[in-house]
Amino acid sequence: MKKSIILMFLVCSFLFAQNKSDSIKIFVQSNGDSVELKWLPKNYMSDNIYKLYRSSGTKKRELIATINARPYDFLKNSGFSDDYIFMIYPFKDANTLIERIKGEQVNSKISVFRAIKIAEDTQFARNIGQYYKDINVELNKTYNYELDLIVKDKKITSSKVSVKNKAFKKENPVFWIQAKDSNLGVSLNWDVSNKDGFYNIYRKLSNEKKFLKLTRKPSYINLKSAKKNNSLYLDKIPNDGQTVEYYVTKVNMFSKESIASTTVSYTHLRAHETREDLV
């Protein structure tokens, strides 16, 4: 009996530790003059309150910020669209239990879109209360950060993340970029290291002098959809026989681009041509 109780205690402790570390995912970016942080809670509520702590060396952790979503009326009066505000306040107009339940269902469905929005738009991350820029830092010093999530008088503590504050350095480039014909245009693929992520795709046509970015915001690549379509990105250009060049950059959670990939050149077939016609 005693062994069973001890075993149950150990299992519960393990599960609690797992839940603790999985409840809030923190992303960190050092810039030399500052350290930026974004975070994604496992369960989002508009009344979440975050307490951000920092420590360094032998110093105990200290509270550096208390953060929550900006008020509904502030966002409304600032001219943000209803769809934008809905992602932050999905329950605002729920007056009955049924409406509340519907709001919770919608909240669950848009969680992925909210995470993408936080990654691509720092202003949105700031408005939703999931961004902080720490400017009280020193170069080449290591800092540890933790978050306490306060929701309905309950506290959940994140795992600690550490970062050495140094000048920003671009990540390594993506590799193995390839281009091939598609019925709808040119299909692009590259090594994504088995992770969903954000990418900028640049293209230069044969009659253009410089590369242009194809999308205003980074493209979110979902590996499940990409494998289904056998393509990471489809450039829908007419098959008029012109030669096009592409390169790709990876974009992190703070809109920082990696080093550019190598350039791939491709001649897009005319509708009546085959590869042998180009030889």
Side-chain angles (χ1 to χ4, degrees), residues 30 32-33 56 137-143 163-167:
S30 69
D33 59 348
S56 181
V137 292
E138 297 176 26
L139 191 64
N140 295 322
K141 193 171 182 179
T142 299
Y143 296 94
V163 59
K164 185 173 182 178
N165 183 37
K166 49 189 178 181

Side-chain angles (χ1 to χ4, degrees), residues 221-239:
I221 304 298
N222 178 277
L223 287 185
K224 187 176 181 180
S225 298
K227 288 178 180 178
K228 182 179 179 181
N229 299 323
N230 198 29
S231 175
L232 291 176
Y233 187 85
L234 179 63
D235 184 17
K236 296 181 180 179
I237 61 173
N239 50 347

